[in-house]
Amino acid sequence: MTDENKFSKSQRQPGQFRGGKGKPGHNGPRRFASNAPAERRPDQLWIYGIHAVAAVLSNPRRKVLQLLATQNAASRLVEEGATLPANLKDTSPRDLDRLLGNDSVHQGAAVEVAPLEPLDLDALGEARLVVVLDQVTDPHNVGAILRSAVAFGADALITTGRHAPAETGVLAKSASGALENITMIEVSNLATAITDLRDMGFSCVGLDSEGTMPLEEGIRGDRIALVLGAEGKGLRRLTRERCDVVARLDMPGAIKSLNVSNAAVLSLYLAHRHLSTTST
């Protein structure tokens, strides 16, 4: 793990999920933030790894262009419940290494797809738990957050068009199929989107080292949006101000800092436990 992907006790920054104080605020109702991609998307990408490829093949929203798989990998995909397309192309591990790079853990399978079109906030429907990312861009972290979000029953992941992770094979592999099992929402302005979420009845909980209370106390209501900031920078000022509460993770051990994806796991667990008690 590089220094970019961890928090150092000696380099305390907002967003490191430790103790402190903050100033949550709210600037009134706004119009729903629309789906407005700010950067050009690739026309196609390769997704690889057995779990990720199987999830792609089971996702009706995906446009599959071609599937490359070894005979062994094809059998594993079928065992995972995937329906193989008629244009399956037999390949070898060496050919996939040349296509994807020697560092890609493809497990003998790769699928070329068109990227998923992001949705807007109207797609949330009756969602009760969403994750909002404020400029978290590392694809490994985002993939891990996606995997945890699906595991704990989150309904959507919300990002901005700019300073957000592009859909890539690395992200999809890290998510281990979760990318295909959660609603991906893109907004043009995150502060406005948080205000919109509050108007929709979500309790927006920002995680920050300058949190005014422990996260266990900050999670309230029957619709929750967990707002996570980028490592090092943390939540931006407007993001923090628009949240209902800015909370912290109190940890009793010698290590007082967490990677953002690990903080997401704990937050999702607490939010899911809370919602489970309010659903009856």
Side-chain angles (χ1 to χ4, degrees):
M1 182 180 296
T2 66
D3 289 340
E4 283 186 336
N5 293 329
K6 64 182 180 181
F7 294 126
S8 164
K9 185 175 182 180
S10 63
Q11 295 177 319
R12 185 173 179 180
Q13 299 286 342
Q16 292 177 352
F17 316 118
R18 308 197 309 182
K21 297 180 180 179
K23 298 179 181 179
H26 180 38
N27 291 340
R30 296 287 183 89
R31 180 172 58 86
F32 277 5
S34 63
N35 167 19
E39 297 175 355
R40 186 176 182 274
R41 297 182 178 280
D43 295 327
Q44 62 230 23
L45 67 144
W46 287 97
I47 290 177
Y48 49 85
I50 295 297
H51 293 303
V53 171
V56 164
L57 296 177
S58 300
N59 184 0
R61 289 188 62 217
R62 274 291 187 191
K63 180 181 179 181
V64 175
L65 304 177
Q66 61 174 321
L67 171 64
L68 307 180
T70 65
Q71 292 184 3
N72 181 57
S75 298
R76 291 183 62 189
L77 289 171
V78 172
E79 291 173 1
E80 291 284 331
T83 300
L84 304 183
N87 62 346
L88 167 65
K89 297 180 180 179
D90 189 21
T91 189
S92 69
R94 182 174 297 180
D95 289 337
L96 289 176
D97 287 342
R98 283 196 291 263
L99 175 68
L100 304 170
N102 292 330
D103 294 333
S104 63
V105 186
H106 51 70
Q107 298 174 294
V111 61
E112 188 180 25
V113 299
L116 290 171
E117 288 296 327
L119 305 173
D120 59 29
L121 291 180
D122 290 333
L124 286 177
E126 300 301 317
R128 301 185 67 208
L129 178 58
V130 302
V131 177
V132 182
L133 299 185
D134 185 10
Q135 298 192 351
V136 180
T137 57
D138 184 291
H140 295 94
N141 279 334
V142 176
I145 291 170
L146 279 166
R147 186 172 183 176
S148 298
V150 171
F152 283 104
D155 300 289
L157 183 85
I158 301 173
T159 64
T160 54
R162 297 180 67 86
H163 305 294
E167 185 180 348
T168 63
V170 172
L171 188 154
K173 182 67 170 62
S174 299
S176 192
L179 185 60
E180 313 300 322
N181 291 284
I182 194 169
T183 299
M184 299 292 292
I185 290 176
E186 187 176 288
V187 297
S188 57
N189 184 292
L190 196 64
T192 301
I194 291 173
T195 301
D196 293 337
L197 287 169
R198 293 179 66 175
D199 292 341
M200 296 168 69
F202 282 90
S203 174
C204 295
V205 183
L207 269 74
D208 200 288
S209 63
E210 303 301 314
T212 57
M213 65 181 67
L215 182 59
E216 295 92 327
E217 299 176 14
I219 293 177
R220 307 164 182 166
D222 57 7
R223 302 186 88 184
I224 297 171
L226 297 172
V227 187
L228 301 167
E231 297 194 29
K233 296 185 296 183
L235 299 175
R236 290 175 293 168
R237 179 181 61 82
L238 280 178
T239 303
R240 296 176 76 239
E241 290 177 353
R242 298 294 176 90
C243 289
D244 291 285
V245 64
V246 180
R248 64 184 183 271
L249 284 168
D250 286 335
M251 290 163 286
I255 296 177
K256 301 297 183 182
S257 58
L258 287 177
N259 174 283
V260 64
S261 62
N262 292 330
V265 173
L266 292 175
S267 306
L268 284 160
Y269 169 75
L270 292 172
H272 172 73
R273 186 176 66 176
H274 168 81
L275 291 174
S276 296
T277 64
T278 63
S279 61
T280 57

